[in-house]
Amino acid sequence: MKLVHLTRRAACVLLLSAAGGLAAGPALAQTPPPGAAKPTVVIVATGGTIAGAGASALNSATYQAAKVPVDQLIAGLPELSSVANVRGEQAFQIASESFTNDKLVTLGKRVSTLLKDPAVSGVVVTHGTDTLEETSFFLNLVVRTDKPIVVVGSMRPGSAMSADGMLNLYDAVVLAASPSAKGKGVLVAMNDDILSGRDASKRVNIKTSAFSSPWGPLGMVVEGKTYWFRTLAKRHTAGSEFNIDEIEALPEVAIVYGSGSMNPALYDAAVQGGAKAIVHAGTGNGSVPNYAVDKLKAIRDKGVMIVRSTRVGEGGFVLRNAEQPDDKYDWVVAHDLNPQKAKILAAVALTRPQTTAELQRIFWEY
């Protein structure tokens, strides 16, 4: 049995055989200038929907993730050979909700090692979309390089009609091979947009336009060309004070989600679970209900960091000493980072001893 897979490129038809073999339609890649040496891009695959497959072309939301190995992804997109010398590595083959701190550290170290090779121009990381935003921010914080790192996923498996993975992967390789992407931090290539790994976030779970940033994209990839609109103002990659080569493990950081009539015992459970910091995903401006304030103060007195973030989905921005007297309580605010990104930054920062003032500085700068 063969299934016809449609992509956003009307001229390209992907055939996926029952045995898992891949073949692709006519090449549309834009080639480097004559005589120019092609860059080398390494695709580090971790699984996810971009490597997924469903039972039929109608299964765009019901499928098995992490089924197609990286070599088959590359073989199914011969246009990549016109952009760069591409090779693949299979780091993991998992759905991204199964990413752990240990896997983050392992991935970060491998990407760092690859980019130390003078022959490697950039790295693409294929990733499931559920935790893509955490991994991209983590790499943005800890890999000391100005070479492009591009994290890419898809919202539909390759077996679905109008699958988005092929074009997303093509765009990611274009970015990783492009000199214009150097020094711009970790990038996310999704749905034609170039997003910053620092603030890209998954906003919806069943559309190809799932990823966005509250501050807008950095640029776009259109027909194999990059177009830039802005750059990231926050510290990242080569300008970071953190270095994956010096990190062996990440401390436990917990998120407690705020709501009406919440149970303060959730904070105790986080401490009992070994949390070195608690991210309070509060309502509005990171608000803390009056019946939970004393609980958080007592936890802070025990040495656990308290970080006020917000559950607001788009453009959340927590102001220090607004809603709560953070200076008085010795708490930290997450600035514009959502709870899951605040968790990543707190974990990376707490690989070293930190005062509250230093941790707050880190949240302002990153």
Side-chain angles (χ1 to χ4, degrees), residues 261-297:
S261 191
M262 63 183 299
N263 187 348
L266 295 171
Y267 301 111
D268 292 325
V271 175
Q272 292 167 9
K276 303 304 181 186
I278 294 175
V279 177
H280 170 73
T283 55
N285 185 27
S287 302
V288 180
N290 54 12
Y291 52 81
V293 169
D294 287 343
K295 175 70 69 176
L296 288 181
K297 288 167 60 179

PDB file of all heavy atoms in Angstrom, residues 261-297:
ATOM      1  N   SER A 261      -9.005  29.102  43.974  1.00  0.00           N
ATOM      2  CA  SER A 261      -9.169  28.055  44.987  1.00  0.00           C
ATOM      3  C   SER A 261      -8.135  26.947  44.830  1.00  0.00           C
ATOM      4  O   SER A 261      -8.444  25.759  44.821  1.00  0.00           O
ATOM      5  CB  SER A 261     -10.578  27.454  44.915  1.00  0.00           C
ATOM      6  OG  SER A 261     -10.824  26.637  46.045  1.00  0.00           O
ATOM      7  N   MET A 262      -6.847  27.339  44.705  1.00  0.00           N
ATOM      8  CA  MET A 262      -5.790  26.343  44.565  1.00  0.00           C
ATOM      9  C   MET A 262      -5.376  25.798  45.926  1.00  0.00           C
ATOM     10  O   MET A 262      -5.634  26.418  46.970  1.00  0.00           O
ATOM     11  CB  MET A 262      -4.600  26.934  43.816  1.00  0.00           C
ATOM     12  CG  MET A 262      -3.905  28.087  44.508  1.00  0.00           C
ATOM     13  SD  MET A 262      -2.569  28.767  43.509  1.00  0.00           S
ATOM     14  CE  MET A 262      -1.476  27.360  43.356  1.00  0.00           C
ATOM     15  N   ASN A 263      -4.715  24.657  45.909  1.00  0.00           N
ATOM     16  CA  ASN A 263      -4.316  23.975  47.133  1.00  0.00           C
ATOM     17  C   ASN A 263      -2.850  24.271  47.440  1.00  0.00           C
ATOM     18  O   ASN A 263      -1.968  23.812  46.718  1.00  0.00           O
ATOM     19  CB  ASN A 263      -4.525  22.471  46.975  1.00  0.00           C
ATOM     20  CG  ASN A 263      -4.285  21.713  48.271  1.00  0.00           C
ATOM     21  OD1 ASN A 263      -3.757  22.254  49.237  1.00  0.00           O
ATOM     22  ND2 ASN A 263      -4.680  20.460  48.287  1.00  0.00           N
ATOM     23  N   PRO A 264      -2.551  25.004  48.529  1.00  0.00           N
ATOM     24  CA  PRO A 264      -1.153  25.330  48.844  1.00  0.00           C
ATOM     25  C   PRO A 264      -0.288  24.111  49.132  1.00  0.00           C
ATOM     26  O   PRO A 264       0.946  24.207  49.101  1.00  0.00           O
ATOM     27  CB  PRO A 264      -1.278  26.217  50.088  1.00  0.00           C
ATOM     28  CG  PRO A 264      -2.655  26.790  50.017  1.00  0.00           C
ATOM     29  CD  PRO A 264      -3.492  25.694  49.420  1.00  0.00           C
ATOM     30  N   ALA A 265      -0.911  22.946  49.392  1.00  0.00           N
ATOM     31  CA  ALA A 265      -0.120  21.738  49.635  1.00  0.00           C
ATOM     32  C   ALA A 265       0.698  21.338  48.409  1.00  0.00           C
ATOM     33  O   ALA A 265       1.671  20.575  48.528  1.00  0.00           O
ATOM     34  CB  ALA A 265      -1.030  20.586  50.053  1.00  0.00           C
ATOM     35  N   LEU A 266       0.322  21.837  47.228  1.00  0.00           N
ATOM     36  CA  LEU A 266       1.096  21.544  46.022  1.00  0.00           C
ATOM     37  C   LEU A 266       2.532  22.060  46.149  1.00  0.00           C
ATOM     38  O   LEU A 266       3.468  21.455  45.635  1.00  0.00           O
ATOM     39  CB  LEU A 266       0.417  22.159  44.799  1.00  0.00           C
ATOM     40  CG  LEU A 266      -0.964  21.598  44.434  1.00  0.00           C
ATOM     41  CD1 LEU A 266      -1.614  22.451  43.348  1.00  0.00           C
ATOM     42  CD2 LEU A 266      -0.858  20.149  43.996  1.00  0.00           C
ATOM     43  N   TYR A 267       2.711  23.187  46.827  1.00  0.00           N
ATOM     44  CA  TYR A 267       4.061  23.723  47.031  1.00  0.00           C
ATOM     45  C   TYR A 267       4.875  22.795  47.927  1.00  0.00           C
ATOM     46  O   TYR A 267       6.065  22.555  47.684  1.00  0.00           O
ATOM     47  CB  TYR A 267       3.998  25.118  47.646  1.00  0.00           C
ATOM     48  CG  TYR A 267       3.250  26.132  46.822  1.00  0.00           C
ATOM     49  CD1 TYR A 267       2.027  26.632  47.262  1.00  0.00           C
ATOM     50  CD2 TYR A 267       3.765  26.602  45.622  1.00  0.00           C
ATOM     51  CE1 TYR A 267       1.335  27.568  46.510  1.00  0.00           C
ATOM     52  CE2 TYR A 267       3.080  27.540  44.865  1.00  0.00           C
ATOM     53  CZ  TYR A 267       1.862  28.015  45.322  1.00  0.00           C
ATOM     54  OH  TYR A 267       1.173  28.937  44.570  1.00  0.00           O
ATOM     55  N   ASP A 268       4.241  22.261  48.974  1.00  0.00           N
ATOM     56  CA  ASP A 268       4.936  21.325  49.856  1.00  0.00           C
ATOM     57  C   ASP A 268       5.379  20.084  49.090  1.00  0.00           C
ATOM     58  O   ASP A 268       6.482  19.570  49.298  1.00  0.00           O
ATOM     59  CB  ASP A 268       4.013  20.912  51.012  1.00  0.00           C
ATOM     60  CG  ASP A 268       3.722  22.055  51.973  1.00  0.00           C
ATOM     61  OD1 ASP A 268       4.625  22.876  52.199  1.00  0.00           O
ATOM     62  OD2 ASP A 268       2.589  22.121  52.479  1.00  0.00           O
ATOM     63  N   ALA A 269       4.515  19.604  48.206  1.00  0.00           N
ATOM     64  CA  ALA A 269       4.860  18.426  47.413  1.00  0.00           C
ATOM     65  C   ALA A 269       6.074  18.700  46.539  1.00  0.00           C
ATOM     66  O   ALA A 269       6.938  17.815  46.352  1.00  0.00           O
ATOM     67  CB  ALA A 269       3.668  18.002  46.562  1.00  0.00           C
ATOM     68  N   ALA A 270       6.169  19.901  45.998  1.00  0.00           N
ATOM     69  CA  ALA A 270       7.322  20.251  45.173  1.00  0.00           C
ATOM     70  C   ALA A 270       8.604  20.229  45.993  1.00  0.00           C
ATOM     71  O   ALA A 270       9.644  19.720  45.543  1.00  0.00           O
ATOM     72  CB  ALA A 270       7.114  21.628  44.545  1.00  0.00           C
ATOM     73  N   VAL A 271       8.550  20.772  47.198  1.00  0.00           N
ATOM     74  CA  VAL A 271       9.728  20.772  48.061  1.00  0.00           C
ATOM     75  C   VAL A 271      10.109  19.351  48.441  1.00  0.00           C
ATOM     76  O   VAL A 271      11.287  18.971  48.399  1.00  0.00           O
ATOM     77  CB  VAL A 271       9.465  21.626  49.325  1.00  0.00           C
ATOM     78  CG1 VAL A 271      10.649  21.530  50.285  1.00  0.00           C
ATOM     79  CG2 VAL A 271       9.225  23.082  48.938  1.00  0.00           C
ATOM     80  N   GLN A 272       9.118  18.539  48.790  1.00  0.00           N
ATOM     81  CA  GLN A 272       9.386  17.149  49.140  1.00  0.00           C
ATOM     82  C   GLN A 272       9.975  16.374  47.963  1.00  0.00           C
ATOM     83  O   GLN A 272      10.725  15.413  48.145  1.00  0.00           O
ATOM     84  CB  GLN A 272       8.101  16.485  49.619  1.00  0.00           C
ATOM     85  CG  GLN A 272       7.609  17.023  50.946  1.00  0.00           C
ATOM     86  CD  GLN A 272       6.177  16.607  51.272  1.00  0.00           C
ATOM     87  OE1 GLN A 272       5.587  15.775  50.579  1.00  0.00           O
ATOM     88  NE2 GLN A 272       5.626  17.192  52.320  1.00  0.00           N
ATOM     89  N   GLY A 273       9.649  16.799  46.752  1.00  0.00           N
ATOM     90  CA  GLY A 273      10.204  16.172  45.563  1.00  0.00           C
ATOM     91  C   GLY A 273      11.605  16.633  45.216  1.00  0.00           C
ATOM     92  O   GLY A 273      12.161  16.212  44.197  1.00  0.00           O
ATOM     93  N   GLY A 274      12.182  17.514  46.020  1.00  0.00           N
ATOM     94  CA  GLY A 274      13.564  17.941  45.829  1.00  0.00           C
ATOM     95  C   GLY A 274      13.748  19.222  45.049  1.00  0.00           C
ATOM     96  O   GLY A 274      14.864  19.531  44.614  1.00  0.00           O
ATOM     97  N   ALA A 275      12.698  19.994  44.861  1.00  0.00           N
ATOM     98  CA  ALA A 275      12.805  21.225  44.068  1.00  0.00           C
ATOM     99  C   ALA A 275      13.740  22.225  44.736  1.00  0.00           C
ATOM    100  O   ALA A 275      13.614  22.507  45.928  1.00  0.00           O
ATOM    101  CB  ALA A 275      11.425  21.843  43.878  1.00  0.00           C
ATOM    102  N   LYS A 276      14.652  22.760  43.956  1.00  0.00           N
ATOM    103  CA  LYS A 276      15.533  23.831  44.412  1.00  0.00           C
ATOM    104  C   LYS A 276      14.925  25.204  44.110  1.00  0.00           C
ATOM    105  O   LYS A 276      15.380  26.220  44.642  1.00  0.00           O
ATOM    106  CB  LYS A 276      16.897  23.726  43.735  1.00  0.00           C
ATOM    107  CG  LYS A 276      17.588  22.387  43.966  1.00  0.00           C
ATOM    108  CD  LYS A 276      17.751  22.074  45.438  1.00  0.00           C
ATOM    109  CE  LYS A 276      18.454  20.747  45.647  1.00  0.00           C
ATOM    110  NZ  LYS A 276      18.505  20.360  47.092  1.00  0.00           N
ATOM    111  N   ALA A 277      13.920  25.209  43.248  1.00  0.00           N
ATOM    112  CA  ALA A 277      13.168  26.429  42.943  1.00  0.00           C
ATOM    113  C   ALA A 277      11.756  26.026  42.567  1.00  0.00           C
ATOM    114  O   ALA A 277      11.538  24.929  42.033  1.00  0.00           O
ATOM    115  CB  ALA A 277      13.813  27.223  41.816  1.00  0.00           C
ATOM    116  N   ILE A 278      10.812  26.918  42.861  1.00  0.00           N
ATOM    117  CA  ILE A 278       9.424  26.718  42.471  1.00  0.00           C
ATOM    118  C   ILE A 278       9.018  27.889  41.593  1.00  0.00           C
ATOM    119  O   ILE A 278       9.167  29.057  41.992  1.00  0.00           O
ATOM    120  CB  ILE A 278       8.487  26.622  43.682  1.00  0.00           C
ATOM    121  CG1 ILE A 278       8.794  25.372  44.503  1.00  0.00           C
ATOM    122  CG2 ILE A 278       7.025  26.612  43.246  1.00  0.00           C
ATOM    123  CD1 ILE A 278       7.997  25.271  45.790  1.00  0.00           C
ATOM    124  N   VAL A 279       8.525  27.585  40.401  1.00  0.00           N
ATOM    125  CA  VAL A 279       7.955  28.606  39.531  1.00  0.00           C
ATOM    126  C   VAL A 279       6.462  28.640  39.797  1.00  0.00           C
ATOM    127  O   VAL A 279       5.752  27.661  39.548  1.00  0.00           O
ATOM    128  CB  VAL A 279       8.239  28.285  38.043  1.00  0.00           C
ATOM    129  CG1 VAL A 279       7.560  29.323  37.146  1.00  0.00           C
ATOM    130  CG2 VAL A 279       9.737  28.251  37.778  1.00  0.00           C
ATOM    131  N   HIS A 280       6.005  29.756  40.317  1.00  0.00           N
ATOM    132  CA  HIS A 280       4.580  29.945  40.553  1.00  0.00           C
ATOM    133  C   HIS A 280       3.968  30.515  39.282  1.00  0.00           C
ATOM    134  O   HIS A 280       4.219  31.666  38.920  1.00  0.00           O
ATOM    135  CB  HIS A 280       4.353  30.895  41.736  1.00  0.00           C
ATOM    136  CG  HIS A 280       2.928  31.319  41.903  1.00  0.00           C
ATOM    137  ND1 HIS A 280       1.944  30.474  42.379  1.00  0.00           N
ATOM    138  CD2 HIS A 280       2.309  32.496  41.630  1.00  0.00           C
ATOM    139  CE1 HIS A 280       0.793  31.112  42.400  1.00  0.00           C
ATOM    140  NE2 HIS A 280       0.980  32.338  41.949  1.00  0.00           N
ATOM    141  N   ALA A 281       3.184  29.688  38.572  1.00  0.00           N
ATOM    142  CA  ALA A 281       2.529  30.130  37.335  1.00  0.00           C
ATOM    143  C   ALA A 281       1.221  30.809  37.708  1.00  0.00           C
ATOM    144  O   ALA A 281       0.138  30.236  37.607  1.00  0.00           O
ATOM    145  CB  ALA A 281       2.291  28.939  36.413  1.00  0.00           C
ATOM    146  N   GLY A 282       1.339  32.036  38.145  1.00  0.00           N
ATOM    147  CA  GLY A 282       0.200  32.733  38.727  1.00  0.00           C
ATOM    148  C   GLY A 282      -0.759  33.293  37.699  1.00  0.00           C
ATOM    149  O   GLY A 282      -0.481  33.365  36.506  1.00  0.00           O
ATOM    150  N   THR A 283      -1.897  33.710  38.183  1.00  0.00           N
ATOM    151  CA  THR A 283      -2.853  34.424  37.343  1.00  0.00           C
ATOM    152  C   THR A 283      -2.354  35.839  37.105  1.00  0.00           C
ATOM    153  O   THR A 283      -1.564  36.385  37.882  1.00  0.00           O
ATOM    154  CB  THR A 283      -4.229  34.465  38.042  1.00  0.00           C
ATOM    155  OG1 THR A 283      -4.064  35.042  39.349  1.00  0.00           O
ATOM    156  CG2 THR A 283      -4.805  33.055  38.188  1.00  0.00           C
ATOM    157  N   GLY A 284      -2.804  36.445  36.003  1.00  0.00           N
ATOM    158  CA  GLY A 284      -2.498  37.856  35.742  1.00  0.00           C
ATOM    159  C   GLY A 284      -1.028  38.166  35.824  1.00  0.00           C
ATOM    160  O   GLY A 284      -0.192  37.581  35.126  1.00  0.00           O
ATOM    161  N   ASN A 285      -0.672  39.091  36.681  1.00  0.00           N
ATOM    162  CA  ASN A 285       0.707  39.540  36.847  1.00  0.00           C
ATOM    163  C   ASN A 285       1.447  38.638  37.837  1.00  0.00           C
ATOM    164  O   ASN A 285       2.101  39.102  38.759  1.00  0.00           O
ATOM    165  CB  ASN A 285       0.725  41.009  37.331  1.00  0.00           C
ATOM    166  CG  ASN A 285       2.132  41.580  37.402  1.00  0.00           C
ATOM    167  OD1 ASN A 285       3.018  41.145  36.682  1.00  0.00           O
ATOM    168  ND2 ASN A 285       2.324  42.543  38.270  1.00  0.00           N
ATOM    169  N   GLY A 286       1.320  37.331  37.639  1.00  0.00           N
ATOM    170  CA  GLY A 286       1.970  36.401  38.559  1.00  0.00           C
ATOM    171  C   GLY A 286       1.396  36.466  39.958  1.00  0.00           C
ATOM    172  O   GLY A 286       2.109  36.237  40.948  1.00  0.00           O
ATOM    173  N   SER A 287       0.103  36.738  40.055  1.00  0.00           N
ATOM    174  CA  SER A 287      -0.532  36.953  41.356  1.00  0.00           C
ATOM    175  C   SER A 287      -0.464  35.701  42.228  1.00  0.00           C
ATOM    176  O   SER A 287      -0.557  34.569  41.738  1.00  0.00           O
ATOM    177  CB  SER A 287      -2.003  37.351  41.166  1.00  0.00           C
ATOM    178  OG  SER A 287      -2.097  38.519  40.362  1.00  0.00           O
ATOM    179  N   VAL A 288      -0.307  35.930  43.522  1.00  0.00           N
ATOM    180  CA  VAL A 288      -0.307  34.852  44.515  1.00  0.00           C
ATOM    181  C   VAL A 288      -1.517  35.064  45.424  1.00  0.00           C
ATOM    182  O   VAL A 288      -1.669  36.149  45.999  1.00  0.00           O
ATOM    183  CB  VAL A 288       0.987  34.851  45.348  1.00  0.00           C
ATOM    184  CG1 VAL A 288       0.970  33.720  46.376  1.00  0.00           C
ATOM    185  CG2 VAL A 288       2.210  34.745  44.444  1.00  0.00           C
ATOM    186  N   PRO A 289      -2.386  34.056  45.574  1.00  0.00           N
ATOM    187  CA  PRO A 289      -3.551  34.239  46.442  1.00  0.00           C
ATOM    188  C   PRO A 289      -3.133  34.484  47.888  1.00  0.00           C
ATOM    189  O   PRO A 289      -2.094  33.984  48.338  1.00  0.00           O
ATOM    190  CB  PRO A 289      -4.323  32.932  46.290  1.00  0.00           C
ATOM    191  CG  PRO A 289      -3.341  31.941  45.768  1.00  0.00           C
ATOM    192  CD  PRO A 289      -2.354  32.718  44.956  1.00  0.00           C
ATOM    193  N   ASN A 290      -3.951  35.253  48.625  1.00  0.00           N
ATOM    194  CA  ASN A 290      -3.571  35.633  49.987  1.00  0.00           C
ATOM    195  C   ASN A 290      -3.352  34.435  50.900  1.00  0.00           C
ATOM    196  O   ASN A 290      -2.532  34.477  51.810  1.00  0.00           O
ATOM    197  CB  ASN A 290      -4.607  36.590  50.585  1.00  0.00           C
ATOM    198  CG  ASN A 290      -6.029  36.047  50.542  1.00  0.00           C
ATOM    199  OD1 ASN A 290      -6.243  34.869  50.269  1.00  0.00           O
ATOM    200  ND2 ASN A 290      -7.004  36.915  50.813  1.00  0.00           N
ATOM    201  N   TYR A 291      -4.039  33.331  50.628  1.00  0.00           N
ATOM    202  CA  TYR A 291      -3.896  32.154  51.486  1.00  0.00           C
ATOM    203  C   TYR A 291      -2.654  31.331  51.163  1.00  0.00           C
ATOM    204  O   TYR A 291      -2.376  30.336  51.856  1.00  0.00           O
ATOM    205  CB  TYR A 291      -5.146  31.269  51.399  1.00  0.00           C
ATOM    206  CG  TYR A 291      -5.568  30.888  49.995  1.00  0.00           C
ATOM    207  CD1 TYR A 291      -4.961  29.843  49.307  1.00  0.00           C
ATOM    208  CD2 TYR A 291      -6.573  31.604  49.336  1.00  0.00           C
ATOM    209  CE1 TYR A 291      -5.339  29.507  48.021  1.00  0.00           C
ATOM    210  CE2 TYR A 291      -6.956  31.276  48.038  1.00  0.00           C
ATOM    211  CZ  TYR A 291      -6.342  30.224  47.399  1.00  0.00           C
ATOM    212  OH  TYR A 291      -6.722  29.898  46.117  1.00  0.00           O
ATOM    213  N   ALA A 292      -1.903  31.708  50.108  1.00  0.00           N
ATOM    214  CA  ALA A 292      -0.682  30.978  49.760  1.00  0.00           C
ATOM    215  C   ALA A 292       0.585  31.779  50.038  1.00  0.00           C
ATOM    216  O   ALA A 292       1.688  31.231  49.951  1.00  0.00           O
ATOM    217  CB  ALA A 292      -0.715  30.580  48.284  1.00  0.00           C
ATOM    218  N   VAL A 293       0.439  33.048  50.398  1.00  0.00           N
ATOM    219  CA  VAL A 293       1.610  33.904  50.586  1.00  0.00           C
ATOM    220  C   VAL A 293       2.507  33.376  51.706  1.00  0.00           C
ATOM    221  O   VAL A 293       3.730  33.234  51.546  1.00  0.00           O
ATOM    222  CB  VAL A 293       1.185  35.353  50.863  1.00  0.00           C
ATOM    223  CG1 VAL A 293       2.382  36.185  51.317  1.00  0.00           C
ATOM    224  CG2 VAL A 293       0.576  35.984  49.618  1.00  0.00           C
ATOM    225  N   ASP A 294       1.932  33.076  52.857  1.00  0.00           N
ATOM    226  CA  ASP A 294       2.754  32.608  53.982  1.00  0.00           C
ATOM    227  C   ASP A 294       3.455  31.298  53.653  1.00  0.00           C
ATOM    228  O   ASP A 294       4.588  31.056  54.085  1.00  0.00           O
ATOM    229  CB  ASP A 294       1.893  32.457  55.235  1.00  0.00           C
ATOM    230  CG  ASP A 294       1.494  33.806  55.835  1.00  0.00           C
ATOM    231  OD1 ASP A 294       2.126  34.815  55.483  1.00  0.00           O
ATOM    232  OD2 ASP A 294       0.552  33.837  56.660  1.00  0.00           O
ATOM    233  N   LYS A 295       2.793  30.444  52.903  1.00  0.00           N
ATOM    234  CA  LYS A 295       3.400  29.178  52.493  1.00  0.00           C
ATOM    235  C   LYS A 295       4.649  29.427  51.652  1.00  0.00           C
ATOM    236  O   LYS A 295       5.709  28.824  51.881  1.00  0.00           O
ATOM    237  CB  LYS A 295       2.396  28.348  51.697  1.00  0.00           C
ATOM    238  CG  LYS A 295       2.937  27.059  51.115  1.00  0.00           C
ATOM    239  CD  LYS A 295       3.227  26.024  52.170  1.00  0.00           C
ATOM    240  CE  LYS A 295       1.930  25.515  52.779  1.00  0.00           C
ATOM    241  NZ  LYS A 295       2.219  24.434  53.754  1.00  0.00           N
ATOM    242  N   LEU A 296       4.560  30.319  50.672  1.00  0.00           N
ATOM    243  CA  LEU A 296       5.710  30.599  49.821  1.00  0.00           C
ATOM    244  C   LEU A 296       6.822  31.313  50.596  1.00  0.00           C
ATOM    245  O   LEU A 296       8.011  31.065  50.344  1.00  0.00           O
ATOM    246  CB  LEU A 296       5.276  31.432  48.612  1.00  0.00           C
ATOM    247  CG  LEU A 296       4.462  30.681  47.552  1.00  0.00           C
ATOM    248  CD1 LEU A 296       4.114  31.597  46.394  1.00  0.00           C
ATOM    249  CD2 LEU A 296       5.214  29.460  47.038  1.00  0.00           C
ATOM    250  N   LYS A 297       6.453  32.163  51.512  1.00  0.00           N
ATOM    251  CA  LYS A 297       7.469  32.830  52.341  1.00  0.00           C
ATOM    252  C   LYS A 297       8.232  31.803  53.175  1.00  0.00           C
ATOM    253  O   LYS A 297       9.464  31.860  53.284  1.00  0.00           O
ATOM    254  CB  LYS A 297       6.808  33.869  53.243  1.00  0.00           C
ATOM    255  CG  LYS A 297       6.312  35.115  52.509  1.00  0.00           C
ATOM    256  CD  LYS A 297       5.403  35.963  53.388  1.00  0.00           C
ATOM    257  CE  LYS A 297       6.087  36.459  54.640  1.00  0.00           C
ATOM    258  NZ  LYS A 297       5.168  37.299  55.447  1.00  0.00           N
TER     259      LYS A 297
END
